[in-house]
Amino acid sequence: MSLSSQQSTELATTPAISIIVISYNTRDMTLKALETTFAETRETPFEVIVIDNASTDGSAEALTEQYADKAKVMCLDENLGFAAANNLAAKEATGEFLLLLNPDTEVLDGAIDKLMAFAKTYPDAGIWGGRTVFADKSLNPTSCWSNMSLWSLTSQALGFSSMFRNSSFFNPEGMGSWDRDGIRQVDIVTGCFFLIRRDFWNSLGGFDKDFFMYAEEADLCARAAKAGATPMVTSAATIIHHGGASETVQSDKLVRLIKAKMTLIYKHFPAATRGMAMWLMKLWPLSRYMAHLVLSKIGRQSSRDSVAVWKSVWDRRNIWTNVSD
């Protein structure tokens, strides 16, 4: 692999960080993510590993043409999913740290350099993340989460977490009242901007193959916490995260998400509460479907489209309720 003259100095030594980007039908966004990564990472020696998950939008051709001399580009013939593709990329990495970076992101103001500095300041955290914003620079709060609990699942099933998004009591998983400013220990750092030492990643076995897409970082963080990690985030390292770019069909996205969360419950909830947690998770799509059905009947236009989405999710419950080791 050869690099541009801009990066020749970095490759003179082993890179401090291996930046991993998994692409799937996000051609233009992926190119922008890579452009901003190279432009905004000035202090940290790095390498970039890009895997295209069998995109059909010309991503593989564009990535090969524009970045074959700057990054290791791997174009797959089948979509392995987010978790498995990251595991494959990590095997190619040589950096001391791994940074998982979503293709629908843009690196702002030296964010990767700042995240590395943060990791060196708080080395015992084990996993580090930053803050995410939307394209208009308004807060995208999905950079980190709290763990699921029976109360969070109850609040979700009853609609409280949606009605009171800015309440940490009613939206505990989303830490609703926190604007993501400052430094804080969290349960889960989202995989869109996720830093971990490579040796720690390897000791944990990377992402669990049972997660195709969604919740793989929640599972990894849970296993990391059992090994002594205390994940932390900082608002000093901020990126744009557009969100949901590779999932264009809302019902398909929800089916994947709910199945992933059901798998997470199965793997991490105590046996005494696992059954109740799964029941509450099942109640979420059913309650959404019924609520939007009623609202559509009384003339709420936005609910008419939502009825079809949630009905599709509920009708496919045989897919997302089927979880096992």
Side-chain angles (χ1 to χ4, degrees):
M1 177 178 63
S2 61
L3 289 184
S4 66
S5 58
Q6 180 182 353
Q7 297 302 321
S8 60
T9 302
E10 279 80 353
L11 276 197
T13 59
T14 300
I17 183 171
S18 299
I19 302 170
I20 296 173
V21 179
I22 308 302
S23 169
Y24 180 66
N25 289 332
T26 51
R27 178 185 178 277
D28 293 340
M29 285 186 174
T30 304
L31 294 175
K32 186 66 174 179
L34 294 173
E35 175 189 334
T36 56
T37 294
F38 279 92
E40 292 293 335
T41 310
R42 307 181 184 94
E43 300 173 5
T44 308
F46 69 94
E47 66 178 357
V48 175
I49 302 169
V50 186
I51 289 186
D52 183 72
N53 252 334
S55 295
T56 57
D57 66 345
S59 290
E61 294 81 1
L63 288 167
T64 301
E65 179 182 350
Q66 297 188 36
Y67 283 96
D69 65 334
K70 296 182 180 180
K72 182 163 190 175
V73 179
M74 303 170 64
C75 301
L76 306 182
D77 295 328
E78 63 176 317
N79 183 0
L80 299 182
F82 184 78
N86 272 291
N87 287 346
L88 179 61
K91 292 178 180 178
E92 302 294 325
T94 62
E96 179 184 358
F97 290 81
L98 302 178
L99 176 68
L100 311 188
L101 184 69
N102 262 31
D104 58 345
T105 60
E106 297 178 34
V107 179
L108 302 175
D109 193 26
I112 294 174
D113 290 330
K114 292 176 180 179
L115 188 59
M116 281 290 289
F118 178 62
K120 292 175 181 178
T121 303
Y122 297 93
D124 294 337
I127 295 171
W128 306 266
R131 179 173 61 178
T132 52
V133 296
F134 292 110
D136 63 0
K137 305 303 172 66
S138 63
L139 179 67
N140 179 345
T142 62
S143 59
C144 55
W145 302 90
S146 289
N147 287 327
M148 283 188 289
S149 66
L150 289 181
W151 167 240
S152 76
L153 291 166
T154 300
S155 189
Q156 176 180 260
L158 296 177
F160 295 156
S161 60
S162 295
M163 290 186 287
F164 308 105
R165 291 186 185 278
N166 295 327
S167 166
S168 287
F169 179 73
F170 288 112
N171 184 18
E173 284 183 50
M175 298 179 283
S177 63
W178 183 39
D179 64 1
R180 306 303 191 262
D181 190 35
I183 295 171
R184 186 161 170 172
Q185 182 180 331
V186 298
D187 292 329
I188 302 162
V189 173
T190 304
C192 71
F193 194 42
F194 181 105
L195 183 67
I196 185 172
R197 287 187 182 276
R198 184 161 59 94
D199 58 358
F200 190 34
W201 168 278
N202 290 337
S203 72
L204 294 170
F207 283 144
D208 187 326
K209 61 181 175 58
D210 287 343
F211 295 90
F212 181 84
M213 186 175 183
Y214 303 122
E216 61 284 310
E217 72 272 68
D219 169 78
L220 185 71
C221 285
R223 290 185 283 121
K226 291 178 182 178
T230 55
M232 296 181 70
V233 295
T234 176
S235 58
T238 297
I239 65 169
I240 292 173
H241 182 208
H242 298 283
S246 63
E247 288 273 15
T248 57
V249 180
Q250 183 69 5
S251 58
D252 291 349
K253 175 180 179 178
L254 286 165
V255 167
R256 290 189 191 276
L257 175 63
I258 296 170
K259 182 175 179 64
K261 296 188 83 168
M262 289 286 279
T263 303
L264 196 64
I265 290 169
Y266 185 84
K267 289 178 177 287
H268 292 286
F269 266 67
T273 59
R274 187 180 302 138
M276 176 61 72
M278 286 187 162
W279 183 82
L280 289 167
M281 180 58 71
K282 293 176 188 177
L283 186 59
W284 176 41
L286 178 60
S287 66
R288 287 294 187 277
Y289 170 43
M290 298 304 296
H292 284 296
L293 184 62
V294 171
L295 290 170
S296 68
K297 296 292 186 183
I298 61 176
R300 182 175 171 180
Q301 183 61 43
S302 61
S303 286
R304 292 175 182 172
D305 294 334
S306 296
V307 167
V309 170
W310 286 106
K311 182 180 186 304
S312 175
V313 174
W314 181 248
D315 287 346
R316 287 186 281 171
R317 58 191 177 275
N318 63 307
I319 297 174
W320 49 260
T321 57
N322 183 24
V323 298
S324 62
D325 287 330

